[in-house]
Amino acid sequence: MAEPGRTWLARRAERQYGQELGLLRHTELSWHISWKLLPWFIGAGFVFAAVAEFTGQPTSSRGPGLFSNLPLYAVASILTGLVLWSLTLLLSFRRLLVFDRGLLYRYSQKHAARAIFWEDIDAGTLRSVVAPAGTDADRLLRTLNPEDKISLGVRGQFAVVFRAKESRVTATAQPASGSDGTGKPLRFYTFTTRNSPDQLVGMIQNGLRNTGAPEAAAAFQALPPAVVHSAVSLD
């Protein structure tokens, strides 16, 4: 039986990138379902169904009148709205994979897969924060240049943040000679979650320590999470 979090996408990523990243040790999920958008999409479904009523009527005067079958119209409108809303679920879940040699994200498509190797993380910048209940912690973490921050999660009260450079990984049979992040700029990466990030932070700390990263000891200041109530600059 598969371990919790080891979805078929995670297992596929382990097979494809295991030569570069090693064994898959942990998965962390960030999710947020946009229930508030559901009424808007249901309303859009009624609009589309109304348009279909006006454009799909036969030209014969003997045909039935507009909205002659109201139950069918209502059902078709609601189903259309639900289908449209379900498309938002594709962006409602993100999972971060922790391997022996680093982190992997955007792994659902081969050309988009990116990794952050332990040696490419600035250990002294590893932090975890917690925002007030109902607040998205990522929105309180800002940089002078918006492009200097990359959000790996969706939404959550907790956030893990660190400064690093990303690398592109390939699904090859041969192990990589090292990360290809040389020359790439350092950016802040944030991962939000609804649950305590202790396990994720612990895995990153152990990876930095085992790699012998500079200032690895400073990474152990990331716990417990710092409480933030207002906007914080990461620069």
Side-chain angles (χ1 to χ4, degrees), residues 9-94:
L9 278 175
R11 294 194 298 270
R12 187 186 72 176
E14 185 177 22
R15 293 193 301 269
Q16 292 176 339
Y17 308 111
Q19 292 288 344
E20 295 183 64
L21 294 169
L23 296 178
L24 177 61
R25 299 297 183 182
H26 177 65
T27 70
E28 196 78 23
L29 178 65
S30 175
W31 62 277
H32 176 70
I33 298 178
S34 302
W35 295 106
K36 293 182 179 180
L37 295 178
L38 181 58
W40 293 94
F41 281 105
I42 296 296
F46 276 90
V47 172
F48 282 119
V51 172
E53 284 284 335
F54 283 101
T55 60
Q57 292 296 320
T59 56
S60 172
S61 59
R62 296 182 179 180
L66 296 174
F67 305 101
S68 58
N69 193 337
L70 289 179
L72 178 61
Y73 167 72
V75 171
S77 300
I78 294 175
L79 290 178
T80 301
L82 289 175
V83 170
L84 294 174
W85 174 79
S86 66
L87 297 178
T88 65
L89 296 178
L90 298 175
L91 302 176
S92 299
F93 299 88
R94 292 183 188 176

Side-chain angles (χ1 to χ4, degrees), residues 120-197:
D120 292 331
I121 295 179
D122 183 355
T125 63
L126 178 63
R127 293 290 185 272
S128 62
V129 300
V130 56
T135 303
D136 181 21
D138 184 71
R139 293 188 178 183
L140 300 180
L141 303 176
R142 301 177 182 177
T143 55
L144 297 177
N145 184 357
E147 295 182 356
D148 289 339
K149 190 188 79 169
I150 297 179
S151 299
L152 305 180
V154 181
R155 183 182 174 89
Q157 182 182 0
F158 296 90
V160 178
V161 58
F162 54 85
R163 200 165 183 239
K165 51 188 175 183
E166 69 176 10
S167 301
R168 186 175 65 86
V169 288
T170 56
T172 60
Q174 298 296 327
S177 58
S179 66
D180 61 353
T182 304
K184 292 187 177 182
L186 285 170
R187 294 177 176 173
F188 285 98
Y189 292 82
T190 63
F191 182 81
T192 52
T193 176
R194 291 170 172 262
N195 304 316
S196 173

